[in-house]
Amino acid sequence: MARHHRTAAILSIGDEITLGQKLDTNSKWLADQLTTLGITVSIKMTVPDDLAALAARFKELAETHDLVLSTGGLGPTADDLTRLALAKAIGDEVVEDAEALSQLLAWFDGVGRKMPEANRVQAMRPQSATCLSNAKGTAPGLHAVVDGADVFCMPGPPREMQPMFERFVVPVLRTDRVVLTRVLPTVGLGESAIADRLGELMDRDRNPLVGTTASASIVTCRIRYEGDDTAEGERRLDETVELVRGKIGDIVFADRDVPLAEVVLDRLRERRQTIATVESCTGGLVGEMLTEIPSSSDAYIGGWVTYTNAMKTSQVGVHPDVFEKHGAVSEECCRAMATGGRERSGSDYAISVTGIAGPGGGSAEKPVGTVWIGLASPSGVRAERFRFNGDREMIRQRSATAALAMLWKAIKEPRA
Amino acid sequence: MARHHRTAAILSIGDEITLGQKLDTNSKWLADQLTTLGITVSIKMTVPDDLAALAARFKELAETHDLVLSTGGLGPTADDLTRLALAKAIGDEVVEDAEALSQLLAWFDGVGRKMPEANRVQAMRPQSATCLSNAKGTAPGLHAVVDGADVFCMPGPPREMQPMFERFVVPVLRTDRVVLTRVLPTVGLGESAIADRLGELMDRDRNPLVGTTASASIVTCRIRYEGDDTAEGERRLDETVELVRGKIGDIVFADRDVPLAEVVLDRLRERRQTIATVESCTGGLVGEMLTEIPSSSDAYIGGWVTYTNAMKTSQVGVHPDVFEKHGAVSEECCRAMATGGRERSGSDYAISVTGIAGPGGGSAEKPVGTVWIGLASPSGVRAERFRFNGDREMIRQRSATAALAMLWKAIKEPRA
């Protein structure tokens, strides 16, 4: 058994993953858990149901890591080879585990069925391994020591694997390292512009380490301390967070991993104010993002998808002349949509979006990606022109995020 | 360059994946694509942003496979090491690619921004590699030959990676196996119910092989021929498609991989009819799904997000008594929403959704997952009660899909 568990490898087993039929969510979940525990996941591997290859990987990973966690391949069918592969990697015989067998029989008894003969193989284990009982299914897990590394084999279904990890793996993990992280989500600047601002704060050899990940228009700044002293780590994290905020504080909208829509709704709730939406090119996406957050109805009262000009006129009162004179994608139309939405819904704020998401509908003057975003508030109405890059989906995503960002900027300060 | 591409390895790069911060969906998508092309994915690996380890893996995988596909690590920041690692694996110098640089500058020009100096590194490539232009973002991909294997490095964001794979990787792939597939998307039945109907058509040793994959409420039936004769394959596929349609033809909504929303819009266009939406618990998701389809404005005129009762009354005329007597999640409210939406928008059809997406708001009589879906049409109004499982997001997704499915059933036959 490893004195300390510093490095870990995660092995996902099964044709359904290498054939691309199934998305592997177990390795993300396990990596997240191990990282939080201060154990570095230095590799994840996914291999098909092939006995020789599987045994070779168990051996290779055990030789190069303190901890190996596998998921999958513990079922009752012929292509479930994890038990045999582990035995082969150890050089063990496979034996039947009496305790596991009785638990298996009890499990089927519990669901009022006779155990199919095929399931009996699930009670088999390598001679030197121990079985880990499965509270949620038939497949017992396995624990063995291979080349001094702790190897745990767990079933594939997350609802069986996760409790097994918490009950049998976590208690035996020993780490002498402290890993602490902070997360600062931002909106309004791209990853490279943020990197320019952060400069040497992003040096790879810095501790805490500062990195960024981008998704649509949200760039999340991640700060990670790795060392052996929790107090020291927290102190350094606070210090680095301050330095980062000094560079990009104006675009940081939270101090944890949280959607922009949730921050906007929380702020509105604090201010006892409400928001309505009037969407054209985003077609309901802004409303969808807001209502994705539980109990959003405290602050979001609803809105309109005014996709045609007729709907813009009949539902939020955009005067037909506006389309004549300026077109539907114009500052005038955008302002009228926001104003009409605020008046007709009785909300404190209304955001409006009108633009050209493409692929068609663009012109030299108003190319695809041209989007007007408006905000009507107690202090008046304003609209801003954006030019987004990307395909239809990306333009819509960026437009909706920009709309939430415009509202966020208007309400981020406590109410006067 | 490999004579044939029989085996492939997929390499996912980035701390955000090994730290468990981000779920890797690229490797599933790529494995699915390669499998369909008749190429065997024998391993997937995920490694952190570590130059030496990364270079070693490129070399190891290139030595043991005909094709290596990597995703991630091509960004402009210091922790984007794929370019350097590939160069190290080849033993190449890194040089600036003039063409790639001009494309980068043009990209920033397109969004009306000056290129940050940090991005210049994205135009660098190993001497012997070629750059693959990125239509959806700043990071060019790379193609190099390492130990006779074709190595392609692509960016991490799926919407940049997928088109790059289709444009630059697929054309150079050479396989000596014939793999032909047909896809029949369905809505209305679960995977196991479909399996019951298909029976032995789903035998694992059948060729063409018949399988299903489920995503939200859409179950897609996939039929796959693998052999060496294209004509024979097409003949067998036609035969199997007929057999499958004989069993589940009533729920098949297309003969290719296409969103239900697109099928619904096409059918409405053929019938010269229009649709409006009135959404409560889905908060704009149905409108979002419809407007995701280009030129949806031909048939979708827009709608309302009547998230509060006040909006249901003021915007689509639901009488306040309805909330008193039956509540907002009721057949009466659902019917009134659809009727009001149809009348006020002047559309031929209006779909309405009102339900409890949770996590709060459930009761013994109306548990979380209770959703009413209504359809107002030229021939009257009807509403149906559903009970969906899953979390808030899943319930909303299933509700929106069920709403589109109800409309699809009403209009799938050519107009009388």
mmCIF file with all atom_site columns, all heavy atoms in Angstrom, chain B residues 93-112:
data_model
loop_
_atom_site.group_PDB
_atom_site.id
_atom_site.type_symbol
_atom_site.label_atom_id
_atom_site.label_alt_id
_atom_site.label_comp_id
_atom_site.label_asym_id
_atom_site.label_entity_id
_atom_site.label_seq_id
_atom_site.pdbx_PDB_ins_code
_atom_site.Cartn_x
_atom_site.Cartn_y
_atom_site.Cartn_z
_atom_site.occupancy
_atom_site.B_iso_or_equiv
_atom_site.pdbx_formal_charge
_atom_site.auth_seq_id
_atom_site.auth_comp_id
_atom_site.auth_asym_id
_atom_site.auth_atom_id
_atom_site.pdbx_PDB_model_num
ATOM 1   N N   . GLU B 1 93  ? 11.918  22.402 -35.154 1.00 0.00 ? 93  GLU B N   1
ATOM 2   C CA  . GLU B 1 93  ? 11.887  23.784 -34.694 1.00 0.00 ? 93  GLU B CA  1
ATOM 3   C C   . GLU B 1 93  ? 10.447  24.274 -34.788 1.00 0.00 ? 93  GLU B C   1
ATOM 4   O O   . GLU B 1 93  ? 9.649   23.698 -35.525 1.00 0.00 ? 93  GLU B O   1
ATOM 5   C CB  . GLU B 1 93  ? 12.744  24.670 -35.619 1.00 0.00 ? 93  GLU B CB  1
ATOM 6   C CG  . GLU B 1 93  ? 14.235  24.421 -35.498 1.00 0.00 ? 93  GLU B CG  1
ATOM 7   C CD  . GLU B 1 93  ? 14.715  24.684 -34.077 1.00 0.00 ? 93  GLU B CD  1
ATOM 8   O OE1 . GLU B 1 93  ? 14.488  25.801 -33.565 1.00 0.00 ? 93  GLU B OE1 1
ATOM 9   O OE2 . GLU B 1 93  ? 15.267  23.745 -33.456 1.00 0.00 ? 93  GLU B OE2 1
ATOM 10  N N   . VAL B 1 94  ? 10.103  25.324 -34.043 1.00 0.00 ? 94  VAL B N   1
ATOM 11  C CA  . VAL B 1 94  ? 8.794   25.957 -34.186 1.00 0.00 ? 94  VAL B CA  1
ATOM 12  C C   . VAL B 1 94  ? 8.968   27.233 -35.004 1.00 0.00 ? 94  VAL B C   1
ATOM 13  O O   . VAL B 1 94  ? 9.844   28.037 -34.713 1.00 0.00 ? 94  VAL B O   1
ATOM 14  C CB  . VAL B 1 94  ? 8.184   26.293 -32.812 1.00 0.00 ? 94  VAL B CB  1
ATOM 15  C CG1 . VAL B 1 94  ? 6.848   26.999 -32.987 1.00 0.00 ? 94  VAL B CG1 1
ATOM 16  C CG2 . VAL B 1 94  ? 7.993   25.026 -32.008 1.00 0.00 ? 94  VAL B CG2 1
ATOM 17  N N   . VAL B 1 95  ? 8.162   27.354 -36.052 1.00 0.00 ? 95  VAL B N   1
ATOM 18  C CA  . VAL B 1 95  ? 8.283   28.528 -36.935 1.00 0.00 ? 95  VAL B CA  1
ATOM 19  C C   . VAL B 1 95  ? 6.926   29.244 -37.040 1.00 0.00 ? 95  VAL B C   1
ATOM 20  O O   . VAL B 1 95  ? 5.885   28.675 -36.748 1.00 0.00 ? 95  VAL B O   1
ATOM 21  C CB  . VAL B 1 95  ? 8.742   28.106 -38.352 1.00 0.00 ? 95  VAL B CB  1
ATOM 22  C CG1 . VAL B 1 95  ? 10.101  27.414 -38.295 1.00 0.00 ? 95  VAL B CG1 1
ATOM 23  C CG2 . VAL B 1 95  ? 7.699   27.188 -38.987 1.00 0.00 ? 95  VAL B CG2 1
ATOM 24  N N   . GLU B 1 96  ? 6.983   30.506 -37.469 1.00 0.00 ? 96  GLU B N   1
ATOM 25  C CA  . GLU B 1 96  ? 5.736   31.259 -37.642 1.00 0.00 ? 96  GLU B CA  1
ATOM 26  C C   . GLU B 1 96  ? 5.179   31.009 -39.038 1.00 0.00 ? 96  GLU B C   1
ATOM 27  O O   . GLU B 1 96  ? 5.915   31.044 -40.015 1.00 0.00 ? 96  GLU B O   1
ATOM 28  C CB  . GLU B 1 96  ? 5.975   32.754 -37.433 1.00 0.00 ? 96  GLU B CB  1
ATOM 29  C CG  . GLU B 1 96  ? 4.696   33.578 -37.493 1.00 0.00 ? 96  GLU B CG  1
ATOM 30  C CD  . GLU B 1 96  ? 4.935   35.028 -37.050 1.00 0.00 ? 96  GLU B CD  1
ATOM 31  O OE1 . GLU B 1 96  ? 5.410   35.823 -37.878 1.00 0.00 ? 96  GLU B OE1 1
ATOM 32  O OE2 . GLU B 1 96  ? 4.669   35.331 -35.869 1.00 0.00 ? 96  GLU B OE2 1
ATOM 33  N N   . ASP B 1 97  ? 3.891   30.733 -39.130 1.00 0.00 ? 97  ASP B N   1
ATOM 34  C CA  . ASP B 1 97  ? 3.253   30.461 -40.405 1.00 0.00 ? 97  ASP B CA  1
ATOM 35  C C   . ASP B 1 97  ? 2.602   31.757 -40.918 1.00 0.00 ? 97  ASP B C   1
ATOM 36  O O   . ASP B 1 97  ? 1.648   32.266 -40.320 1.00 0.00 ? 97  ASP B O   1
ATOM 37  C CB  . ASP B 1 97  ? 2.197   29.360 -40.234 1.00 0.00 ? 97  ASP B CB  1
ATOM 38  C CG  . ASP B 1 97  ? 1.614   28.891 -41.568 1.00 0.00 ? 97  ASP B CG  1
ATOM 39  O OD1 . ASP B 1 97  ? 0.791   29.635 -42.139 1.00 0.00 ? 97  ASP B OD1 1
ATOM 40  O OD2 . ASP B 1 97  ? 2.011   27.805 -42.033 1.00 0.00 ? 97  ASP B OD2 1
ATOM 41  N N   . ALA B 1 98  ? 3.140   32.289 -42.030 1.00 0.00 ? 98  ALA B N   1
ATOM 42  C CA  . ALA B 1 98  ? 2.688   33.597 -42.531 1.00 0.00 ? 98  ALA B CA  1
ATOM 43  C C   . ALA B 1 98  ? 1.186   33.579 -42.846 1.00 0.00 ? 98  ALA B C   1
ATOM 44  O O   . ALA B 1 98  ? 0.432   34.483 -42.466 1.00 0.00 ? 98  ALA B O   1
ATOM 45  C CB  . ALA B 1 98  ? 3.482   33.965 -43.773 1.00 0.00 ? 98  ALA B CB  1
ATOM 46  N N   . GLU B 1 99  ? 0.761   32.502 -43.523 1.00 0.00 ? 99  GLU B N   1
ATOM 47  C CA  . GLU B 1 99  ? -0.647  32.371 -43.905 1.00 0.00 ? 99  GLU B CA  1
ATOM 48  C C   . GLU B 1 99  ? -1.542  32.378 -42.667 1.00 0.00 ? 99  GLU B C   1
ATOM 49  O O   . GLU B 1 99  ? -2.540  33.099 -42.595 1.00 0.00 ? 99  GLU B O   1
ATOM 50  C CB  . GLU B 1 99  ? -0.831  31.062 -44.695 1.00 0.00 ? 99  GLU B CB  1
ATOM 51  C CG  . GLU B 1 99  ? -2.262  30.680 -45.017 1.00 0.00 ? 99  GLU B CG  1
ATOM 52  C CD  . GLU B 1 99  ? -2.946  31.677 -45.947 1.00 0.00 ? 99  GLU B CD  1
ATOM 53  O OE1 . GLU B 1 99  ? -2.226  32.466 -46.589 1.00 0.00 ? 99  GLU B OE1 1
ATOM 54  O OE2 . GLU B 1 99  ? -4.188  31.695 -45.971 1.00 0.00 ? 99  GLU B OE2 1
ATOM 55  N N   . ALA B 1 100 ? -1.146  31.575 -41.660 1.00 0.00 ? 100 ALA B N   1
ATOM 56  C CA  . ALA B 1 100 ? -1.937  31.496 -40.432 1.00 0.00 ? 100 ALA B CA  1
ATOM 57  C C   . ALA B 1 100 ? -1.997  32.858 -39.739 1.00 0.00 ? 100 ALA B C   1
ATOM 58  O O   . ALA B 1 100 ? -3.048  33.268 -39.238 1.00 0.00 ? 100 ALA B O   1
ATOM 59  C CB  . ALA B 1 100 ? -1.336  30.458 -39.496 1.00 0.00 ? 100 ALA B CB  1
ATOM 60  N N   . LEU B 1 101 ? -0.875  33.564 -39.744 1.00 0.00 ? 101 LEU B N   1
ATOM 61  C CA  . LEU B 1 101 ? -0.838  34.879 -39.092 1.00 0.00 ? 101 LEU B CA  1
ATOM 62  C C   . LEU B 1 101 ? -1.799  35.859 -39.779 1.00 0.00 ? 101 LEU B C   1
ATOM 63  O O   . LEU B 1 101 ? -2.567  36.557 -39.122 1.00 0.00 ? 101 LEU B O   1
ATOM 64  C CB  . LEU B 1 101 ? 0.584   35.448 -39.110 1.00 0.00 ? 101 LEU B CB  1
ATOM 65  C CG  . LEU B 1 101 ? 0.746   36.810 -38.422 1.00 0.00 ? 101 LEU B CG  1
ATOM 66  C CD1 . LEU B 1 101 ? 0.336   36.732 -36.957 1.00 0.00 ? 101 LEU B CD1 1
ATOM 67  C CD2 . LEU B 1 101 ? 2.182   37.313 -38.548 1.00 0.00 ? 101 LEU B CD2 1
ATOM 68  N N   . SER B 1 102 ? -1.789  35.829 -41.132 1.00 0.00 ? 102 SER B N   1
ATOM 69  C CA  . SER B 1 102 ? -2.666  36.778 -41.839 1.00 0.00 ? 102 SER B CA  1
ATOM 70  C C   . SER B 1 102 ? -4.136  36.414 -41.579 1.00 0.00 ? 102 SER B C   1
ATOM 71  O O   . SER B 1 102 ? -4.986  37.288 -41.438 1.00 0.00 ? 102 SER B O   1
ATOM 72  C CB  . SER B 1 102 ? -2.355  36.769 -43.338 1.00 0.00 ? 102 SER B CB  1
ATOM 73  O OG  . SER B 1 102 ? -2.637  35.500 -43.883 1.00 0.00 ? 102 SER B OG  1
ATOM 74  N N   . GLN B 1 103 ? -4.426  35.106 -41.469 1.00 0.00 ? 103 GLN B N   1
ATOM 75  C CA  . GLN B 1 103 ? -5.807  34.705 -41.165 1.00 0.00 ? 103 GLN B CA  1
ATOM 76  C C   . GLN B 1 103 ? -6.203  35.163 -39.765 1.00 0.00 ? 103 GLN B C   1
ATOM 77  O O   . GLN B 1 103 ? -7.322  35.600 -39.525 1.00 0.00 ? 103 GLN B O   1
ATOM 78  C CB  . GLN B 1 103 ? -5.965  33.187 -41.291 1.00 0.00 ? 103 GLN B CB  1
ATOM 79  C CG  . GLN B 1 103 ? -5.992  32.702 -42.740 1.00 0.00 ? 103 GLN B CG  1
ATOM 80  C CD  . GLN B 1 103 ? -6.169  31.201 -42.854 1.00 0.00 ? 103 GLN B CD  1
ATOM 81  O OE1 . GLN B 1 103 ? -6.450  30.524 -41.868 1.00 0.00 ? 103 GLN B OE1 1
ATOM 82  N NE2 . GLN B 1 103 ? -6.000  30.683 -44.057 1.00 0.00 ? 103 GLN B NE2 1
ATOM 83  N N   . LEU B 1 104 ? -5.251  35.068 -38.832 1.00 0.00 ? 104 LEU B N   1
ATOM 84  C CA  . LEU B 1 104 ? -5.503  35.534 -37.461 1.00 0.00 ? 104 LEU B CA  1
ATOM 85  C C   . LEU B 1 104 ? -5.837  37.023 -37.465 1.00 0.00 ? 104 LEU B C   1
ATOM 86  O O   . LEU B 1 104 ? -6.839  37.458 -36.885 1.00 0.00 ? 104 LEU B O   1
ATOM 87  C CB  . LEU B 1 104 ? -4.257  35.318 -36.601 1.00 0.00 ? 104 LEU B CB  1
ATOM 88  C CG  . LEU B 1 104 ? -4.224  34.157 -35.629 1.00 0.00 ? 104 LEU B CG  1
ATOM 89  C CD1 . LEU B 1 104 ? -2.872  34.112 -34.932 1.00 0.00 ? 104 LEU B CD1 1
ATOM 90  C CD2 . LEU B 1 104 ? -5.324  34.297 -34.594 1.00 0.00 ? 104 LEU B CD2 1
ATOM 91  N N   . LEU B 1 105 ? -4.994  37.794 -38.154 1.00 0.00 ? 105 LEU B N   1
ATOM 92  C CA  . LEU B 1 105 ? -5.204  39.247 -38.209 1.00 0.00 ? 105 LEU B CA  1
ATOM 93  C C   . LEU B 1 105 ? -6.553  39.549 -38.847 1.00 0.00 ? 105 LEU B C   1
ATOM 94  O O   . LEU B 1 105 ? -7.305  40.401 -38.370 1.00 0.00 ? 105 LEU B O   1
ATOM 95  C CB  . LEU B 1 105 ? -4.067  39.899 -39.006 1.00 0.00 ? 105 LEU B CB  1
ATOM 96  C CG  . LEU B 1 105 ? -2.695  39.824 -38.323 1.00 0.00 ? 105 LEU B CG  1
ATOM 97  C CD1 . LEU B 1 105 ? -1.564  40.108 -39.304 1.00 0.00 ? 105 LEU B CD1 1
ATOM 98  C CD2 . LEU B 1 105 ? -2.647  40.801 -37.137 1.00 0.00 ? 105 LEU B CD2 1
ATOM 99  N N   . ALA B 1 106 ? -6.892  38.789 -39.899 1.00 0.00 ? 106 ALA B N   1
ATOM 100 C CA  . ALA B 1 106 ? -8.177  39.004 -40.592 1.00 0.00 ? 106 ALA B CA  1
ATOM 101 C C   . ALA B 1 106 ? -9.338  38.692 -39.648 1.00 0.00 ? 106 ALA B C   1
ATOM 102 O O   . ALA B 1 106 ? -10.346 39.390 -39.631 1.00 0.00 ? 106 ALA B O   1
ATOM 103 C CB  . ALA B 1 106 ? -8.246  38.122 -41.832 1.00 0.00 ? 106 ALA B CB  1
ATOM 104 N N   . TRP B 1 107 ? -9.166  37.637 -38.830 1.00 0.00 ? 107 TRP B N   1
ATOM 105 C CA  . TRP B 1 107 ? -10.236 37.242 -37.904 1.00 0.00 ? 107 TRP B CA  1
ATOM 106 C C   . TRP B 1 107 ? -10.536 38.395 -36.942 1.00 0.00 ? 107 TRP B C   1
ATOM 107 O O   . TRP B 1 107 ? -11.688 38.774 -36.748 1.00 0.00 ? 107 TRP B O   1
ATOM 108 C CB  . TRP B 1 107 ? -9.820  35.989 -37.134 1.00 0.00 ? 107 TRP B CB  1
ATOM 109 C CG  . TRP B 1 107 ? -10.953 35.343 -36.383 1.00 0.00 ? 107 TRP B CG  1
ATOM 110 C CD1 . TRP B 1 107 ? -11.777 34.341 -36.826 1.00 0.00 ? 107 TRP B CD1 1
ATOM 111 C CD2 . TRP B 1 107 ? -11.412 35.651 -35.052 1.00 0.00 ? 107 TRP B CD2 1
ATOM 112 N NE1 . TRP B 1 107 ? -12.697 34.022 -35.871 1.00 0.00 ? 107 TRP B NE1 1
ATOM 113 C CE2 . TRP B 1 107 ? -12.510 34.803 -34.769 1.00 0.00 ? 107 TRP B CE2 1
ATOM 114 C CE3 . TRP B 1 107 ? -11.005 36.560 -34.080 1.00 0.00 ? 107 TRP B CE3 1
ATOM 115 C CZ2 . TRP B 1 107 ? -13.191 34.825 -33.562 1.00 0.00 ? 107 TRP B CZ2 1
ATOM 116 C CZ3 . TRP B 1 107 ? -11.686 36.595 -32.871 1.00 0.00 ? 107 TRP B CZ3 1
ATOM 117 C CH2 . TRP B 1 107 ? -12.770 35.734 -32.624 1.00 0.00 ? 107 TRP B CH2 1
ATOM 118 N N   . PHE B 1 108 ? -9.466  38.955 -36.358 1.00 0.00 ? 108 PHE B N   1
ATOM 119 C CA  . PHE B 1 108 ? -9.670  40.068 -35.413 1.00 0.00 ? 108 PHE B CA  1
ATOM 120 C C   . PHE B 1 108 ? -10.218 41.295 -36.140 1.00 0.00 ? 108 PHE B C   1
ATOM 121 O O   . PHE B 1 108 ? -11.053 42.027 -35.620 1.00 0.00 ? 108 PHE B O   1
ATOM 122 C CB  . PHE B 1 108 ? -8.373  40.392 -34.680 1.00 0.00 ? 108 PHE B CB  1
ATOM 123 C CG  . PHE B 1 108 ? -8.102  39.467 -33.532 1.00 0.00 ? 108 PHE B CG  1
ATOM 124 C CD1 . PHE B 1 108 ? -7.276  38.371 -33.687 1.00 0.00 ? 108 PHE B CD1 1
ATOM 125 C CD2 . PHE B 1 108 ? -8.717  39.677 -32.305 1.00 0.00 ? 108 PHE B CD2 1
ATOM 126 C CE1 . PHE B 1 108 ? -7.057  37.499 -32.630 1.00 0.00 ? 108 PHE B CE1 1
ATOM 127 C CE2 . PHE B 1 108 ? -8.501  38.806 -31.243 1.00 0.00 ? 108 PHE B CE2 1
ATOM 128 C CZ  . PHE B 1 108 ? -7.668  37.721 -31.405 1.00 0.00 ? 108 PHE B CZ  1
ATOM 129 N N   . ASP B 1 109 ? -9.755  41.475 -37.391 1.00 0.00 ? 109 ASP B N   1
ATOM 130 C CA  . ASP B 1 109 ? -10.275 42.567 -38.196 1.00 0.00 ? 109 ASP B CA  1
ATOM 131 C C   . ASP B 1 109 ? -11.786 42.415 -38.333 1.00 0.00 ? 109 ASP B C   1
ATOM 132 O O   . ASP B 1 109 ? -12.541 43.369 -38.185 1.00 0.00 ? 109 ASP B O   1
ATOM 133 C CB  . ASP B 1 109 ? -9.611  42.524 -39.583 1.00 0.00 ? 109 ASP B CB  1
ATOM 134 C CG  . ASP B 1 109 ? -9.317  43.916 -40.089 1.00 0.00 ? 109 ASP B CG  1
ATOM 135 O OD1 . ASP B 1 109 ? -8.813  44.719 -39.287 1.00 0.00 ? 109 ASP B OD1 1
ATOM 136 O OD2 . ASP B 1 109 ? -9.625  44.194 -41.265 1.00 0.00 ? 109 ASP B OD2 1
ATOM 137 N N   . GLY B 1 110 ? -12.202 41.185 -38.563 1.00 0.00 ? 110 GLY B N   1
ATOM 138 C CA  . GLY B 1 110 ? -13.630 40.894 -38.757 1.00 0.00 ? 110 GLY B CA  1
ATOM 139 C C   . GLY B 1 110 ? -14.483 41.303 -37.569 1.00 0.00 ? 110 GLY B C   1
ATOM 140 O O   . GLY B 1 110 ? -15.643 41.696 -37.725 1.00 0.00 ? 110 GLY B O   1
ATOM 141 N N   . VAL B 1 111 ? -13.916 41.183 -36.368 1.00 0.00 ? 111 VAL B N   1
ATOM 142 C CA  . VAL B 1 111 ? -14.684 41.578 -35.178 1.00 0.00 ? 111 VAL B CA  1
ATOM 143 C C   . VAL B 1 111 ? -14.312 42.997 -34.744 1.00 0.00 ? 111 VAL B C   1
ATOM 144 O O   . VAL B 1 111 ? -14.646 43.428 -33.647 1.00 0.00 ? 111 VAL B O   1
ATOM 145 C CB  . VAL B 1 111 ? -14.449 40.598 -33.997 1.00 0.00 ? 111 VAL B CB  1
ATOM 146 C CG1 . VAL B 1 111 ? -15.155 39.294 -34.263 1.00 0.00 ? 111 VAL B CG1 1
ATOM 147 C CG2 . VAL B 1 111 ? -12.967 40.372 -33.755 1.00 0.00 ? 111 VAL B CG2 1
ATOM 148 N N   . GLY B 1 112 ? -13.572 43.693 -35.623 1.00 0.00 ? 112 GLY B N   1
ATOM 149 C CA  . GLY B 1 112 ? -13.255 45.091 -35.349 1.00 0.00 ? 112 GLY B CA  1
ATOM 150 C C   . GLY B 1 112 ? -12.377 45.303 -34.121 1.00 0.00 ? 112 GLY B C   1
ATOM 151 O O   . GLY B 1 112 ? -12.496 46.287 -33.416 1.00 0.00 ? 112 GLY B O   1
#
